[in-house]
Amino acid sequence: MANPQHIAFPVGGGRVVGHLYWPVEPAGPVPGLVVAGPMTSVKEQVTGVYAAALARQGFAALALDPRHFGESGGWPRQYERWDRKVEDLCAAVDVMAQTPGIDAGRLGMAAVCLGSGYAAHAALRTARVRALGLVAGYFRDPEEMRQKDPQGFAAKIAQGVAARRAFEGGAEAEVIPAASLTGDAAMTTPDTVDYYTRRAAVPNYRNAFAVMSREWFLPFDVPAAAPDLTLPVCMVHSEQALSPHWVRRFRSRLAGEADLVWLTSRGQTDFYDDPGLVAEATQCLAQHFARHLT
């Protein structure tokens, strides 16, 4: 696999940077995919892994640093705003449509973990996307989470609002670890901590999360996109990955054609970098996109 093409484009007054992976021997204009990833992640982590794997299957695939992360612009840093990530994905689809060598009529989105939510909402906002492939999706249902712990849920949102107001008042943006087993952190499972602090601790990644993100992150309603999604969707998951009951619920609410493939994993993040599991998941996506991006 050749080194990816480094690209940059403007979004909302900022700059988004990505790596575009090409098939080794493209035969004419090829279908294009934009790859969305987990919260706080950058293009050298899971999205790059999947973009490279999908390129080996004959697709041009783009992995991004969303605004506020990695090489991309945006202030404050490490600000997890789902609406801006959706904007970035839509802009990336437009860039792919205008890129020589990519067939503008055969575009889709692939996504991993919470990227599945970003991609689902982005697909509602751009008619260019013709198919979705969602791996180990985190289809978080804020209403269910609120009901389980109303006080804790509200307190974290209030914490995010207070942090934003302090930032807007001139204070430095408050940050906590993105992944940690101790103290307050955005991700607290051994699985995610091992991935972000050891296996995927690349130089472009910062293990940090702006507290003001909680104002946006906590209420992010992924299932709200499902009833309006009429394009074909392929979902790949495992009973050991995050919240399989949310996966089944999301699929049941989809308005269009939906395939759900169950694989075997140890947990969530081996979908990110285990070569065998990535190959299995990518093969499912490639077959899905080959059928629907014709």
Side-chain angles (χ1 to χ4, degrees):
M1 175 67 64
N3 290 330
Q5 177 183 349
H6 192 272
I7 67 169
F9 51 92
V11 185
R15 179 174 179 265
V16 171
V17 177
H19 283 165
L20 177 56
Y21 292 80
W22 291 92
V24 174
E25 296 181 359
V30 297
L33 303 171
V34 175
V35 186
M39 61 184 295
T40 79
S41 65
V42 295
K43 63 187 180 303
E44 293 82 5
Q45 296 173 326
V46 59
T47 53
V49 169
Y50 275 80
L54 288 163
R56 290 191 289 271
Q57 297 285 344
F59 302 90
L62 176 61
L64 303 176
D65 284 343
R67 276 176 292 170
H68 306 282
F69 296 91
E71 291 184 74
S72 293
W75 192 256
R77 305 307 294 168
Q78 308 303 118
Y79 190 18
E80 186 77 27
R81 276 190 58 158
W82 72 266
D83 60 328
R84 292 182 184 171
K85 289 198 167 186
V86 167
E87 290 173 357
D88 294 348
L89 292 173
C90 291
V93 170
D94 290 340
V95 169
M96 295 284 274
Q98 298 161 13
T99 299
I102 295 177
D103 187 339
R106 294 191 291 162
L107 300 177
M109 281 189 190
V112 182
C113 194
L114 189 57
S116 298
Y118 305 137
H121 280 269
L124 297 179
R125 301 188 187 190
T126 172
R128 292 188 188 276
V129 174
R130 294 181 51 196
L132 283 177
L134 312 176
V135 176
Y138 181 40
F139 300 97
R140 62 188 319 280
D141 186 334
E143 185 54 37
E144 180 180 314
M145 300 171 78
R146 183 181 288 109
Q147 290 176 0
K148 287 183 176 179
D149 183 11
Q151 291 184 336
F153 193 89
K156 285 189 175 182
I157 293 177
Q159 183 191 31
V161 172
R164 173 182 54 79
R165 289 175 176 167
F167 174 76
E168 292 173 344
E172 188 172 327
E174 180 184 359
V175 297
I176 57 176
S180 177
L181 294 178
T182 60
D184 192 10
M187 296 175 281
T188 58
T189 65
D191 189 24
T192 52
V193 171
D194 182 64
Y195 179 76
Y196 286 105
T197 66
R198 188 179 67 82
R199 289 162 24 220
V202 296
N204 192 38
Y205 180 72
R206 181 183 172 201
N207 183 27
F209 178 83
V211 173
M212 56 194 282
S213 305
R214 284 178 166 160
E215 178 182 9
W216 291 87
F217 177 69
L218 269 292
F220 179 34
D221 191 342
V222 175
D228 296 318
L229 280 173
T230 57
L231 75 176
V233 179
C234 175
M235 302 168 66
V236 180
H237 210 77
S238 161
E239 294 290 358
Q240 291 72 42
L242 285 174
S243 305
H245 73 291
W246 282 347
V247 175
R248 294 183 174 91
R249 186 183 303 168
F250 187 85
R251 185 200 182 210
S252 72
R253 294 176 178 176
L254 285 168
E257 176 185 341
D259 294 324
L260 177 53
V261 180
W262 293 97
L263 300 180
T264 300
S265 72
R266 296 183 302 277
Q268 176 72 8
T269 67
D270 48 332
F271 270 105
Y272 299 4
D273 62 357
D274 179 272
L277 191 55
V278 170
E280 283 188 89
T282 304
Q283 185 62 36
C284 294
L285 297 189
Q287 292 171 354
H288 173 72
F289 290 126
R291 286 199 308 271
H292 297 289
L293 300 182
T294 57

